[in-house]
Amino acid sequence: MEEEEWNNKGGPGAGPGSGVWLGINGYPAPRAPRPHSLHSSVSPALLSSLILLVSAPALAARRGRQTEAMLTLLVLTAAVLLGAAPRSDAIVIYTGWERHALVGSDVRLSCSFFSWRWTSEDVTFSWSYRPDGARDSISIFHYTGGAPYVDNKGPFRERLEFVGNPARRDGSILIRNLDFNDNGTFTCDAKNPPDIVGRPSSVRLLVFEKVPIQAGVITGAIIGVVLGLLILVVAIYYLMRFLVARRVFNLSVSKHGKKGKGKEGSQQRQASVLVDPSKQKAAAASEKKKQESRREKK
Amino acid sequence: MLAVLAGVVILHLTEIIILIISTSVNAWRTNNKASFDLWYTCSTLNAGYHCEGSSDADWLQAVQALMVLATLFCMLSFIFFLCQLFTLVKGGRFFFTAVFQVLSSLFVMSGAIIYTVMSPDEKDGSNSYGYAFVLAWLAFPLTLISGLIYIILRKKE
């Protein structure tokens, strides 16, 4: 069946990356008509829609001819961006940037892709490995025709497992029982016919004896906690002052007729100082008096 | 007179400058080959002067955080001092300012102590402490004294 055909073509370097793309029957697959350019320009469309979304409520709030002019300008810009954007039908492959793992543990290398087409039945995933310091890479995993083919001769024999879901565009692999020799770069190449133009993405694997703390994590944590506590304390302080002032204000209103107790009276005076809007006058007077007092101190 | 006010302000500004220099300059420990500080290890190899990031040791990150916090609190206390100068009631003390200043001195002290204890020593003893380290240790008593001055200082009636 097709499996035997594909197995013969499964050696290193003879994967789907080389040569003409062949369909299931062995004939060149027919090219489907390309979608409208509206679909192809992701980022300019997103950018212009974001701008419109953000500015529309702001502009709608104001009135006048100026706002109409600005609105039409925005719409024109968006249309220009959408229309003149370059077509990008390419497939985009996502892997991590770096993976850190401990010796003897398992690591899951994830690979996913984005494509404007529906996920076809002929989707393929291909992983290759290049050791640190080596120049050549060898192929260690290939998924095609609905079946995964793992490495059975290379450095990862009997340690590699396919844990992805091609229907959900996930081509992740699991490597068990890591060793220091597994340090290197893993490259994932995915193809979603007829969307095959794309750049493979690489993830670096670093195997440690002890996973180090990343730079700046502790620094940021300490600074964040201290500043957070500071803001909390200041907020509580002002809250207490506000509550005390309000309670005293309520008390003084309720005991309007009586001559209040001495403590309450002084609190009332304090409350009036706190709540009094004419603090500037008092501040200016106290500033003058402070300078005099300094003169006296001297 | 205004002399006390001027003296206190000059002292505070000096401390801020000392803390900023100490936190950022690459001269905490020096070698004939390289100089180390909280953030980079700069060395003069035959190819010129180039720096690489310091180790990710947890004590080093703690020292980084404490020095940054000390600088931050010193600046904040200066701002609060200027605020309180105009808004304090008669007979009031500069408590806010003093609290922040004392906290800043505590942070500098902790940072300097941790660095002194944990910085690795070369076997041949060629490592000597640079001037940024000395400034950090100098900043601690200065900020403490300044904080105490702010506690004692008050707007007299």
Side-chain angles (χ1 to χ4, degrees):
Chain A
M1 243 246 319
E2 290 101 322
E3 263 184 42
E4 291 164 11
E5 280 179 37
W6 287 114
N7 258 336
N8 289 337
K9 296 189 168 77
S18 60
V20 176
W21 177 249
L22 297 176
I24 284 279
N25 301 332
Y27 294 114
R31 278 196 68 187
R34 286 170 121 211
H36 196 255
S37 67
L38 260 174
H39 296 282
S40 326
S41 47
V42 188
S43 34
L46 274 175
L47 189 65
S48 47
S49 51
L50 269 173
I51 294 175
L52 272 173
L53 218 75
V54 164
S55 53
L59 285 177
R62 298 169 47 187
R63 292 169 197 278
R65 272 184 11 203
Q66 238 184 6
T67 54
E68 284 175 24
M70 284 174 70
L71 210 55
T72 48
L73 183 67
L74 270 173
V75 171
L76 279 175
T77 319
V80 162
L81 282 175
L82 282 173
R87 300 172 171 210
S88 53
D89 255 343
I91 189 174
V92 184
I93 302 178
Y94 303 108
T95 59
W97 185 253
E98 260 186 13
R99 284 279 176 270
H100 298 220
L102 290 174
V103 183
S105 71
D106 306 338
V107 70
R108 180 177 196 268
L109 301 173
S110 65
C111 178
S112 163
F113 67 88
F114 174 78
S115 164
W116 283 110
R117 312 274 180 163
W118 299 110
T119 310
S120 87
E121 296 168 354
D122 306 329
V123 65
T124 68
F125 289 95
S126 183
W127 279 94
S128 63
Y129 167 67
R130 181 169 60 85
D132 262 349
R135 268 183 5 168
D136 300 326
S137 61
I138 66 168
S139 186
I140 58 170
F141 175 79
H142 191 61
Y143 177 93
T144 184
Y149 300 93
V150 298
D151 173 22
N152 47 7
K153 297 184 183 60
F156 296 101
R157 55 177 169 277
E158 289 165 25
R159 288 200 289 152
L160 202 58
E161 190 187 325
F162 180 58
V163 294
N165 191 350
R168 288 176 186 271
R169 302 184 170 182
D170 180 18
S172 312
I173 55 172
L174 181 75
I175 306 179
R176 302 186 191 285
N177 202 7
L178 285 169
D179 188 35
F180 286 115
N181 297 327
D182 296 333
N183 272 309
T185 310
F186 290 79
T187 307
C188 175
D189 193 9
K191 302 220 181 292
N192 183 28
D195 198 1
I196 58 158
V197 178
R199 207 170 281 160
S201 169
S202 306
V203 53
R204 245 195 109 205
L205 180 66
L206 296 163
V207 181
F208 292 104
E209 255 180 31
K210 195 178 72 143
V211 182
I213 304 177
Q214 281 205 312
V217 165
I218 298 183
T219 312
I222 294 180
I223 294 181
V225 164
V226 170
L227 288 181
L229 279 175
L230 178 73
I231 293 176
L232 197 69
V233 165
V234 168
I236 290 179
Y237 172 70
Y238 275 110
L239 197 70
M240 297 306 294
R241 257 175 58 158
F242 175 69
L243 286 177
V244 165
R246 244 181 48 166
R247 234 187 65 188
V248 166
F249 184 64
N250 286 337
L251 273 174
S252 72
V253 161
S254 68
K255 295 191 180 176
H256 183 66
K258 283 190 197 172
K259 202 174 179 183
K261 298 177 195 164
K263 205 172 165 190
E264 265 182 35
S266 73
Q267 272 182 353
Q268 205 178 0
R269 250 176 271 133
Q270 226 180 21
S272 65
V273 165
L274 289 171
V275 186
D276 199 349
S278 66
K279 244 187 343 184
Q280 293 166 350
K281 240 186 348 184
S286 66
E287 161 74 1
K288 265 194 206 160
K289 290 208 172 140
K290 197 188 125 202
Q291 298 207 357
E292 289 177 28
S293 75
R294 285 182 194 272
R295 246 176 254 126
E296 284 175 349
K297 237 175 84 171
K298 261 301 192 181
Chain B
M1 207 159 50
L2 283 173
V4 172
L5 185 63
V8 162
V9 166
I10 288 178
L11 179 66
H12 205 145
L13 286 175
T14 312
E15 286 155 17
I16 292 180
I17 293 175
I18 286 179
L19 278 171
I20 291 179
I21 292 180
S22 167
T23 310
S24 52
V25 160
N26 186 282
W28 277 68
R29 251 183 329 126
T30 51
N31 224 345
N32 22 12
K33 297 176 294 224
S35 63
F36 309 86
D37 78 336
L38 303 179
W39 314 95
Y40 286 112
T41 305
C42 293
S43 52
T44 48
L45 299 178
N46 39 8
Y49 190 72
H50 79 273
C51 299
E52 59 178 26
S54 277
S55 70
D56 299 338
D58 29 14
W59 62 266
L60 193 63
Q61 293 186 32
V63 176
Q64 289 173 356
L66 287 170
M67 290 302 294
V68 168
L69 281 172
T71 316
L72 219 62
F73 273 46
C74 202
M75 290 189 210
L76 279 176
S77 86
F78 187 64
I79 294 174
F80 282 134
F81 175 62
L82 293 178
C83 275
Q84 287 200 307
L85 207 57
F86 298 115
T87 64
L88 208 55
V89 295
K90 287 177 279 192
R93 293 186 143 139
F94 295 88
F95 268 138
F96 242 29
T97 313
V99 161
F100 275 79
Q101 224 16 8
V102 169
L103 279 177
S104 165
S105 88
L106 285 178
F107 286 146
V108 155
M109 179 185 78
S110 316
I113 285 180
I114 293 179
Y115 192 88
T116 313
V117 166
M118 298 290 295
S119 68
D121 257 337
E122 303 264 332
K123 294 265 166 62
D124 54 358
S126 66
N127 266 354
S128 63
Y129 288 111
Y131 69 91
F133 178 74
V134 172
L135 283 180
W137 268 114
L138 185 65
F140 156 59
L142 283 183
T143 43
L144 197 61
I145 290 173
S146 168
L148 292 176
I149 289 180
Y150 283 126
I151 291 181
I152 296 173
L153 200 65
R154 61 150 95 198
K155 280 183 165 185
K156 286 203 178 141
E157 313 222 21

